[in-house]
Amino acid sequence: MARTLGADLDDAELRGDLPPEMRDDMLSACTGCADPTGCAHWLSQRSEAEAAPGFCRNRDILQALAAE
């Protein structure tokens, strides 16, 4: 999802915009997704997007990181 939105998590972490514990929290949120099949389908339909789908638990932080 991060790649599709243009959010470079490694770069964000190096800049200090994404603390390691927040990245861990994002991973936990992603693995607890309520619709992993829908997410996989959504991702398979696009290589770029301006916004994550509404069901994405990391939507806000990914969009903020993509904007930086």
Side-chain angles (χ1 to χ4, degrees):
M1 187 66 69
R3 189 175 315 120
T4 301
L5 297 176
D8 185 333
L9 301 183
D10 293 331
D11 188 50
E13 195 169 334
L14 288 172
R15 286 190 320 263
D17 294 334
L18 180 64
E21 60 274 4
M22 183 181 288
R23 192 171 182 164
D24 291 342
D25 291 345
M26 290 173 67
L27 180 59
S28 292
C30 188
T31 58
C33 180
D35 191 7
T37 303
C39 183
H41 178 73
W42 188 89
L43 288 168
S44 73
Q45 300 298 309
R46 55 199 43 87
S47 60
E48 295 180 348
E50 290 187 22
F55 60 80
C56 181
R57 294 177 174 193
N58 292 311
R59 175 186 171 107
D60 294 339
I61 186 66
L62 288 173
Q63 287 178 210
L65 292 171
E68 294 179 1

